[in-house]
Amino acid sequence: MTTTLIRPVRPWGRALSDVTLTDGIITAVAPHHPAGGAGTAGSPGAVSPAVSTGATVVEGRGRLLLPAFSDAHVHLDSTRIGLPFREHTGGPGVWEMMLNDRRNWRTAEVSLQERVNETLGRMIARGTTRVRSFAQVDVDCRLERFEAVSAARETFRDRAAVQIVAFPQAGLLREKGSVEMLEEALKAGADVVGGIDPCSLDRDPAQHLDLVFGLAEKYQVPIDIHLHEPGALGVFSADLVLERTRALGMQGQVTLSHAYQLGSVSEATTSRLLEAFAELDVCLTSVAPATSGQLPLTRMAEAGIRFGLGEDGQRDYWSPYGNADMLDRTWQLAFTQGFRQDELIEHCLAVATVGGASILDPSAVRLKDTAHRPGLDAGDPADLLLVGGETLSSAVMDRGTDRTVLRAGRIVADQLELVS
Ligand SMILES: [Zn+2]
């Protein structure tokens, strides 16, 4: 049995507390006791049993305690984090951007494996311990990118849980052999099957989605579909996804990523979609874009829709944005939503932590509304982030470096550096 005591900290910004972790799980949260350990507040001066049996003590120093971040949408296979800044050479649209990446990714300054490892390491060091990463699979890169992300997952397995989406970034119908490659990735152990813009990229939405849902059924994996399509076209594709989710009994196993403009058509459409997503337990993820017409975040929370945050491609051939820091992306979510009230800024933290975790692990606790702050109670996993800050909102605004990251009760990073 391994026991860790964190003291004193402020769970979700509340009163000073001592938190006991046993075998990777939070087992007690008690008011801080200056003289002893967790659970001993009623017996002044007593030595905590946990301490006397050699528990590891983590000095909380009054910092905020949060569930660790879950990045629910990142492309570890395209990252250039840590490399020299590069001129953006992508053309407009998904196909042109994909071709730009295809022309360049093999000739980066260091190997893909080094890039993936560097970025995942930095993400963990900044507080992320659960990740859903896409890995492009197509007739050009074949499984090369998938294998690099798989190897990184293995390297960091004690520090983060990584899910891999086999992702047909180039579509399924434009290049012969694409479907077969996607299936190869699933045979090789991909956790999730991806899809993308069934109307605008493949221009045959029913066939695209039938292929994706067919593979999901065959390999018994969930689905995560990139939906960049605008306005009514995006709603049309979303409806096709909902139709198949219902018909195939895939409730709770489908995620729509981006879905930039599903809230742009009409109030009636927005309400109908929110109701359908809630009913069929379809998840949504956002990378906090500065676009208008998104589904309203507060109404998604009130409807009980699982919603997560991600960093997308980071400083890669698609975009110069991203810095491996989910606290930074949390700020971006709050900023792009125009939030000022503390409760709403705190809700962004809840989305970036437990919100994403509930997508990666459907059995994890779910957010009920914008005031719900779960994930730090006895019985919850001890994937935790300690971060300096006066209040939760101030931590989001300041994005300080005084952080300690725990994965399954063990410190895996401190002061933005991985610890061995
Ligand atoms: Zn993406």
Side-chain angles (χ1 to χ4, degrees):
M1 191 172 79
T2 51
T3 304
T4 301
L5 182 63
I6 312 176
R7 64 180 184 191
V9 283
R10 289 174 291 141
W12 283 120
R14 295 188 285 255
L16 283 179
S17 303
D18 297 336
V19 178
T20 307
L21 318 174
T22 308
D23 292 338
I25 303 290
I26 298 173
T27 46
V29 181
H32 174 56
H33 190 273
T40 60
S43 47
V47 176
S48 159
V51 172
S52 64
T53 53
T56 306
V57 175
V58 176
E59 298 301 338
R61 293 186 274 106
R63 284 177 288 173
L64 300 163
L65 181 71
L66 304 170
F69 289 115
S70 288
D71 188 324
H73 185 114
V74 67
H75 295 255
L76 284 174
D77 67 330
S78 64
T79 175
R80 286 183 51 85
I81 294 267
L83 297 185
F85 207 82
R86 184 182 179 282
E87 182 190 3
H88 182 69
T89 52
V94 168
W95 184 254
E96 287 301 319
M97 296 277 272
M98 187 283 296
L99 289 177
N100 177 53
D101 175 278
R102 189 178 273 182
R103 277 193 295 272
N104 289 292
W105 72 273
R106 282 195 176 87
T107 53
E109 294 83 341
V110 300
S111 74
L112 177 61
Q113 193 63 65
E114 287 171 89
R115 288 190 278 145
V116 178
N117 289 5
E118 173 69 23
T119 296
L120 182 55
R122 286 197 193 201
M123 287 167 63
I124 296 165
R126 284 153 182 75
T128 299
T129 62
R130 302 178 194 88
V131 177
R132 175 177 279 185
S133 174
F134 293 81
Q136 182 168 338
V137 174
D138 65 31
V139 294
D140 179 69
C141 67
R142 304 179 69 83
L143 295 191
E144 217 175 311
R145 296 164 76 133
F146 171 78
E147 283 162 358
V149 179
S150 297
R153 163 165 68 183
E154 194 55 31
T155 301
F156 290 94
R157 62 178 309 139
D158 294 335
R159 292 169 173 173
V162 179
Q163 268 186 3
I164 307 177
V165 186
F167 180 47
Q169 178 83 73
L172 288 171
L173 307 175
R174 298 175 68 126
E175 297 176 308
K176 198 169 164 11
S178 301
V179 181
E180 288 77 7
M181 286 317 306
L182 192 61
E183 182 157 9
E184 285 304 311
L186 291 162
K187 283 183 192 159
D191 305 289
V192 182
V193 60
I196 179 169
D197 297 336
C199 290
S200 61
L201 190 58
D202 271 345
R203 296 174 176 272
D204 186 342
Q207 198 185 345
H208 179 96
L209 291 174
D210 287 347
L211 286 165
V212 171
F213 276 81
L215 287 170
E217 211 171 18
K218 185 171 176 184
Y219 291 91
Q220 291 293 299
V221 289
I223 293 171
D224 196 323
I225 296 173
H226 275 61
L227 193 58
H228 308 97
E229 294 166 352
L233 190 63
V235 172
F236 176 73
S237 288
D239 278 331
L240 295 181
V241 169
L242 290 167
E243 195 177 279
R244 282 160 180 74
T245 304
R246 189 189 300 277
L248 297 170
M250 288 201 63
Q251 289 88 341
Q253 296 178 67
V254 177
T255 299
L256 284 179
S257 285
H258 300 311
Y260 291 126
Q261 291 193 319
L262 293 186
S264 69
V265 174
S266 67
E267 171 50 36
T269 305
T270 297
S271 297
R272 180 177 66 74
L273 286 175
L274 290 173
E275 216 169 283
F277 290 146
E279 184 211 336
L280 297 172
D281 193 14
V282 168
C283 308
L284 293 160
T285 65
S286 173
V287 298
T291 52
S292 58
Q294 300 173 61
L295 286 173
L297 200 138
T298 50
R299 283 172 66 188
M300 280 195 279
E302 283 152 17
I305 295 167
R306 285 185 282 158
F307 180 67
L309 183 67
E311 297 182 88
D312 212 13
Q314 301 186 71
R315 199 166 171 162
D316 59 9
Y317 302 99
W318 294 71
S319 160
Y321 293 90
N323 61 0
D325 190 349
M326 278 290 285
L327 187 53
D328 209 59
R329 190 55 56 113
T330 304
W331 175 89
Q332 186 174 319
L333 180 63
F335 179 74
T336 54
Q337 291 286 327
F339 289 162
R340 290 166 187 245
Q341 289 175 26
D342 293 280
E343 178 178 301
L344 294 177
I345 293 165
E346 292 169 14
H347 176 61
C348 293
L349 274 174
V351 163
T353 55
V354 287
S358 72
I359 296 176
L360 273 53
D361 174 8
S363 69
V365 65
R366 295 173 179 217
L367 289 173
K368 291 181 194 146
D369 53 45
T370 58
H372 192 202
R373 306 281 175 264
L376 296 179
D377 301 306
D380 286 322
D383 278 30
L384 302 167
L385 170 65
L386 282 73
V387 58
E390 210 178 322
T391 67
L392 294 171
S393 294
S394 78
V396 174
M397 296 306 135
D398 295 342
R399 287 155 278 152
T401 58
D402 184 7
R403 305 184 203 178
T404 304
V405 186
L406 291 92
R407 160 76 179 154
R410 190 177 69 87
I411 294 180
V412 293
D414 192 46
Q415 308 303 313
L416 309 192
E417 297 287 343
L418 293 174
V419 297
S420 50

